[in-house]
Amino acid sequence: MKSPHSLDKNPKFYSHPLLKKDLIEWRDYQVEISKIASNQNTLVVLPTALGKTIVALLTLVNILEKAPKSKIIMLAPTRPLVLQHYDVFQKFLKPEIKCCLFSSNLSPIKRTFALNGNQIFFSTPQIIQNDLKAGLYSLEGIGQIIFDETHKARKKYAYTFVANQYLEQNLHPLILGITASPGKDLFRINELCETLQIEQIIFRDFDSPDVKKYTFGINSIFKKIELPNEILKALLILDTAVHKIRDFMFSHEILPKRNFISKFQFIQLIQDLKLMDTLLDPYTTDEDLERYGLTSNYGRMNFPHLLDMFDKKKNDKIPNKSRILNQAINGIYLEHLKELLTTQDIRMFRNYLQKLEERALEGNKRIKRLLNSKYILGAQNLLNPIKKSPKIPVLLEILKNEFLENPNAKIIIFTQYREMAKFLIKELNDFSTNSCQIRAKRFVGQATKANDKGLNQKDQKSMITDFSTNQFNVLVATSVAEEGLDIPSVNSVVFYESIPSEIRLIQRRGRTGRHQIGKCYFLVQSNSLDEIYSFVSHRREEKMHELLKHPKYINTVPKIKRSDKLPEYKFKKLEHIKENYRKIKENHGVNSVKKIETLISQNSDKKKSSGYELIQDITENLTLESKKRIELSKSNKTKGKEKLFLTKKTFTWLISTMGCIGSIRGTKLYCDLDDLYLAAKEEEMDIIKIEKEIQNGITKKMFEKTNNFLISTPIS
């Protein structure tokens, strides 16, 4: 195949006027895909390691060559992935192609002005969404938007909003979606095609004829591990307790009868029980339902039949909601204990029980009853002789053989939990011998959890560099290493536990087999979730491949009618941008006043006669609570330590702003967090301080947070 910019019969590198010479290796399938994606909305499905980013780059330069006055936006779901794309594109593009990194550190005015002097923009979708909602700029001059990890374009995720705006505003839209898995089933794939108006799906796997010559293959090795008798007996006891809860749910028709109930179904049930308070609240309006992503036909309910069951107008005998809730919570605890026992390690099982015991000592009677039940006590007695998971010796044997075969090998071990990663690091480093030098490090996300500090982006990058340069040879990683980080190819990958997601299976496995034949080990314990999840993830991958190879049931859209005139971004003077931004801020203030007046009118017949009264009541409660805490602080001589409560000024701003841009239901204020942060930015407030104050308020139960909404909670 020939490219207009590569006339050699068998070119070694891809050549293009906008790219640096002799850097991008020629691959037929990448060139072919980029040609198609340069002319229509395309969903590209490639396994990890087949070069999705290069496909995006080749497509992008084709479009910039055709429409040099247009702009390109490259979106990714996380900041580390955005930074990675920015670095990769800078490496391959010629210096005259100007790239710009959008972040919250760049003010709205600077972001808008940056559109004048740059051609390619890298951002998370939330930033673009907020800018569009504020009216800072339009997308009519954008030649293409690239959505990385496209499978996230569902429901209320920002990808959906940005795509809708682009398709509405642009007369010549071009969308490129790149992912390793568009969805687990036909419904998800069709939903994605509808959201992004996909005209063409292109799929390749490692067995595709035009891909084979560039890949080395991956050998999947399943290690079946038998559970000790003590664990099997303890598992049987815990199963008996779970079956008792299942029988209760089935007999009262709370849950539909099925052979397998996981903790996920119990979580869904609890979500429904909480959601019903909103749906059955007589004060809930259609506007409330629409604002919070609900519908009048209760489309968000996992088990819709519960609404009729708990509706006093339709049912005289209302079930005991508290009892159902307690049973569901116990079901989650028991299922989680089973998972830790059979897929992780006995030490994690015992640590989790210890955490539950601490909560019982704090006064939680339900947990205390559960811990004192014959099921938990019986399981604990049986497990006393067990010291560690039977997976550990198998894992050590795998590493020993790998390093005997290749002393310079690099290996990634994926595990679900940080705590398990800690145990593995100790086991591996203690195992090192003269013939098997294991140097292992733990790789986790940025979030800091209880007694477990996360890794910031700088530390993550430094650790990846050390791994690349053989400073250590085993990376024990949580899900943070699955996507969004430029981790080098390794000789082998080990799945410490199985996962049910096909996308995570593809991403983890794709870390090996890039430069030589790779190995992927699966540690599967019998009679555990490992067996179920392993089957589910591999079956979902097979079904997805079947759909993509024979896409007759996939509903791509007909060819979109595009304008003959290619997109062209119109230069905006800085003074015009500033004037527009000033008007936006003024309009926001006017709209806020109107919003309060509307809220007062709408809620005049409710428990609180106005938004102002509600704000005043909550603030007064805060003041009383603050005084109590100040006295307590003085008596305990804790002056100078971290504040135990929000400042009244910040709290009042939060409540008043929530009243302006949110809505009132009953005695609570509801506000979308994205809207709240946007308001803070527009008023030039310290976002980091606002986030800390919100988190502090949640910790002190002044606020609740659910589904990206902040909810005020009057203090008792």
Side-chain angles (χ1 to χ4, degrees):
M1 181 182 303
K2 296 179 181 179
S3 163
H5 304 293
S6 297
L7 302 179
D8 296 342
K9 190 173 182 180
N10 294 301
K12 185 177 180 182
F13 296 101
Y14 186 81
S15 174
H16 192 282
L18 303 183
L19 295 172
K20 295 174 184 175
K21 290 186 65 176
D22 300 341
L23 285 181
I24 298 178
E25 178 192 2
W26 178 280
R27 292 191 176 188
D28 291 342
Y29 69 92
Q30 290 178 337
V31 176
E32 175 65 24
I33 293 171
S34 67
K35 286 174 65 178
I36 296 170
S38 301
N39 295 291
Q40 53 188 319
N41 292 350
T42 307
L43 176 62
V44 176
V45 183
L46 293 176
T48 303
L50 286 189
K52 294 186 290 293
T53 305
I54 296 300
V55 169
L57 177 62
L58 299 185
T59 305
L60 174 152
V61 293
N62 289 342
I63 291 169
L64 282 181
E65 187 180 30
K66 289 191 299 183
K69 294 184 179 180
S70 68
K71 311 291 182 180
I72 307 289
I73 296 177
M74 175 86 180
L75 298 177
T78 63
R79 180 164 172 76
L81 190 50
V82 170
L83 290 169
Q84 180 181 314
H85 289 324
Y86 178 76
D87 291 340
V88 170
F89 280 49
Q90 291 272 61
K91 174 183 175 182
F92 293 119
L93 289 165
K94 286 186 175 179
E96 56 264 32
I97 306 301
K98 302 299 181 184
C99 298
C100 180
L101 191 65
F102 272 11
S103 71
S104 55
N105 296 328
L106 205 62
S107 70
I109 290 177
K110 288 181 179 178
R111 285 201 298 272
T112 308
F113 189 66
L115 288 166
N116 287 330
N118 297 279
Q119 290 170 282
I120 307 171
F121 302 87
F122 302 84
S123 176
T124 58
Q126 289 81 8
I127 289 176
I128 304 297
Q129 175 180 259
N130 291 339
D131 287 353
L132 293 174
K133 283 184 175 180
L136 293 174
Y137 48 80
S138 76
L139 300 175
E140 59 184 352
I142 305 300
Q144 184 187 48
I145 297 183
I146 301 167
F147 296 84
D148 193 15
E149 306 295 351
T150 324
H151 53 275
K152 294 183 180 291
R154 298 184 65 241
K155 298 182 179 179
K156 296 186 72 176
Y157 188 68
Y159 273 178
T160 304
F161 178 85
V162 174
N164 287 338
Q165 292 295 302
Y166 181 51
L167 292 164
E168 285 179 10
Q169 297 176 12
N170 199 293
L171 298 177
H172 194 98
L174 274 175
I175 285 176
L176 172 61
I178 51 178
T179 181
S181 169
K184 64 182 180 180
D185 52 35
L186 182 62
F187 174 79
R188 289 278 180 90
I189 297 173
N190 281 338
E191 183 183 42
L192 189 62
C193 291
E194 176 64 26
T195 299
L196 300 182
Q197 291 292 286
I198 296 298
E199 300 166 274
Q200 173 78 27
I201 294 180
I202 301 175
F203 168 67
R204 297 286 193 280
D205 61 13
F206 292 108
D207 295 323
S208 298
D210 56 351
V211 171
K212 270 188 174 181
K213 61 182 177 180
Y214 302 107
T215 61
F216 297 90
I218 301 170
N219 294 329
S220 294
I221 304 164
F222 293 85
K223 294 287 187 179
K224 194 71 175 285
I225 303 166
E226 296 298 327
L227 288 169
N229 286 332
E230 293 88 347
I231 292 181
L232 285 173
K233 291 177 182 177
L235 183 60
L236 188 61
I237 291 174
L238 295 175
D239 266 334
T240 303
V242 173
H243 286 159
K244 189 176 178 181
I245 294 173
R246 283 178 53 192
D247 291 343
F248 168 81
M249 297 294 183
F250 293 161
S251 63
H252 289 77
E253 299 182 346
I254 305 300
L255 292 178
K257 289 187 178 181
R258 57 180 69 175
N259 294 328
F260 175 72
I261 295 284
S262 70
K263 68 178 178 183
F264 181 63
Q265 274 79 51
F266 288 126
I267 291 171
Q268 286 182 321
L269 174 59
I270 292 171
Q271 289 172 342
D272 279 5
L273 291 173
K274 292 182 177 180
L275 189 59
M276 280 194 302
D277 291 338
T278 298
L279 295 173
L280 296 177
D281 185 347
Y283 295 118
T284 300
T285 65
D286 289 339
E287 184 181 355
D288 292 330
L289 293 174
E290 184 178 351
R291 178 168 179 78
Y292 297 106
L294 306 172
T295 58
S296 55
N297 63 351
Y298 315 122
R300 282 278 297 275
M301 291 285 289
N302 300 296
F303 307 105
H305 71 283
L306 294 177
L307 281 162
D308 290 339
M309 189 178 289
F310 283 88
D311 192 341
K312 294 179 181 178
K313 296 178 182 178
K314 298 180 180 180
N315 190 6
D316 294 333
K317 296 181 180 179
I318 303 296
N320 187 327
K321 184 179 176 182
S322 177
R323 185 183 177 191
I324 295 170
L325 195 61
N326 287 337
Q327 292 279 358
I329 293 171
N330 284 345
I332 293 171
Y333 290 152
L334 289 165
E335 287 291 353
H336 189 60
L337 284 168
K338 284 170 54 184
E339 179 185 346
L340 296 179
L341 181 62
T342 58
T343 69
Q344 302 300 315
D345 190 276
I346 185 67
R347 290 166 287 185
M348 283 188 66
F349 175 87
R350 288 176 178 139
N351 287 350
Y352 188 66
L353 279 176
Q354 186 177 345
K355 290 176 184 176
L356 292 179
E357 287 168 3
E358 290 170 1
R359 292 184 61 188
L361 289 173
E362 291 171 358
N364 192 313
K365 294 180 180 179
R366 184 192 64 253
I367 294 178
K368 187 175 182 179
R369 285 194 298 270
L370 177 66
L371 293 177
N372 290 332
S373 69
K374 60 183 179 181
Y375 306 107
I376 297 295
L377 295 176
Q380 283 180 295
N381 289 334
L382 283 168
L383 294 170
N384 283 334
I386 305 295
K387 302 301 179 186
K388 63 179 67 173
S389 169
K391 287 184 178 181
I392 301 294
V394 177
L395 175 62
L396 294 175
E397 186 66 23
I398 289 171
L399 296 190
K400 178 182 175 182
N401 293 334
E402 285 291 318
F403 286 117
L404 285 175
E405 182 182 326
N406 180 6
N408 297 319
K410 287 201 285 283
I411 297 170
I412 294 181
I413 301 170
F414 282 105
T415 183
Q416 185 78 1
Y417 297 100
R418 286 186 176 191
E419 188 179 5
M420 191 66 238
K422 274 186 178 180
F423 290 137
L424 290 177
I425 289 294
K426 187 175 188 314
E427 293 284 351
L428 297 178
N429 288 330
D430 289 349
F431 179 74
S432 292
T433 62
N434 292 332
S435 59
C436 178
Q437 289 291 322
I438 297 177
R439 304 182 304 280
K441 285 193 176 182
R442 190 177 72 131
F443 191 82
V444 298
Q446 298 181 52
T448 295
K449 301 182 179 180
N451 302 318
D452 190 354
K453 188 178 180 182
L455 293 175
N456 59 37
Q457 290 178 19
K458 184 179 178 181
D459 292 336
Q460 288 178 347
K461 197 169 184 179
S462 174
M463 188 174 290
I464 291 170
T465 301
D466 289 346
F467 188 48
S468 303
T469 55
N470 296 316
Q471 300 299 311
F472 63 97
N473 53 15
V474 177
L475 190 73
V476 180
T478 57
S479 58
V480 69
E482 292 173 358
E483 66 178 26
L485 292 167
D486 189 18
I487 294 177
S489 178
V490 296
N491 301 80
S492 301
V493 167
V494 180
F495 283 57
Y496 183 78
E497 72 280 292
S498 299
I499 47 176
S501 165
E502 81 288 346
I503 179 67
R504 295 178 65 193
L505 168 66
I506 294 166
Q507 288 169 333
R508 286 184 175 189
R509 189 178 54 206
R511 294 299 180 184
T512 188
R514 299 187 182 189
H515 305 300
Q516 59 187 357
I517 295 175
K519 294 179 185 176
C520 187
Y521 293 93
F522 298 87
L523 305 186
V524 181
Q525 289 199 144
S526 58
N527 299 297
S528 75
L529 282 175
D530 278 342
E531 286 186 324
I532 297 170
Y533 286 170
S534 179
F535 172 79
V536 168
S537 58
H538 284 88
R539 180 62 188 133
R540 282 177 175 174
E541 183 186 23
E542 289 172 8
K543 286 176 68 177
M544 181 195 73
H545 285 185
E546 289 169 9
L547 281 170
L548 294 171
K549 286 177 180 176
H550 310 286
K552 60 181 179 180
Y553 298 112
I554 298 177
N555 296 328
T556 53
V557 302
K559 186 173 177 61
I560 295 173
K561 291 183 179 180
R562 293 179 172 85
S563 169
D564 293 334
K565 185 179 179 181
L566 295 174
E568 181 178 331
Y569 185 80
K570 296 178 182 178
F571 184 89
K572 293 182 180 179
K573 293 183 179 180
L574 182 59
E575 53 266 31
H576 292 164
I577 293 172
K578 288 182 176 180
E579 176 64 18
N580 181 52
Y581 186 60
R582 184 187 63 77
K583 289 179 179 178
I584 289 170
K585 291 182 71 175
E586 284 180 358
N587 288 335
H588 175 73
V590 172
N591 290 335
S592 296
V593 173
K594 289 181 179 178
K595 182 71 175 178
I596 289 178
E597 291 173 350
T598 304
L599 287 170
I600 293 171
S601 174
Q602 288 177 346
N603 293 279
S604 59
D605 59 339
K606 297 185 181 181
K607 296 176 184 177
K608 293 293 176 184
S609 61
S610 73
Y612 290 120
E613 286 186 35
L614 178 58
I615 293 167
Q616 186 178 7
D617 284 359
I618 295 174
T619 308
E620 286 175 358
N621 280 333
L622 169 72
T623 306
L624 292 172
E625 188 70 13
S626 298
K627 288 179 180 178
K628 292 178 185 177
R629 288 175 177 166
I630 290 171
E631 294 301 323
L632 181 64
S633 175
K634 288 179 179 178
S635 64
N636 292 332
K637 298 181 179 181
T638 57
K639 189 175 181 181
K641 293 187 179 180
E642 185 179 358
K643 288 191 290 185
L644 295 174
F645 54 92
L646 297 165
T647 62
K648 185 174 180 180
K649 180 180 178 181
T650 306
F651 185 82
T652 303
W653 180 88
L654 285 170
I655 293 295
S656 60
T657 305
M658 288 170 70
C660 292
I661 62 178
S663 64
I664 299 173
R665 290 217 306 274
T667 59
K668 295 183 180 181
L669 284 169
Y670 287 70
C671 182
D672 189 308
L673 275 171
D674 290 337
D675 293 342
L676 193 63
Y677 290 141
L678 180 61
K681 287 179 184 178
E682 289 173 349
E683 296 182 33
E684 298 181 354
M685 298 192 69
D686 188 335
I687 300 296
I688 295 176
K689 183 178 179 181
I690 293 294
E691 288 176 341
K692 286 181 179 178
E693 296 285 25
I694 289 173
Q695 188 56 49
N696 195 14
I698 292 170
T699 303
K700 304 307 173 189
K701 298 184 179 179
M702 298 173 185
F703 294 119
E704 298 171 5
K705 181 181 174 184
T706 178
N707 295 331
N708 204 46
F709 285 93
L710 188 66
I711 307 168
S712 69
T713 305
I715 304 169
S716 57

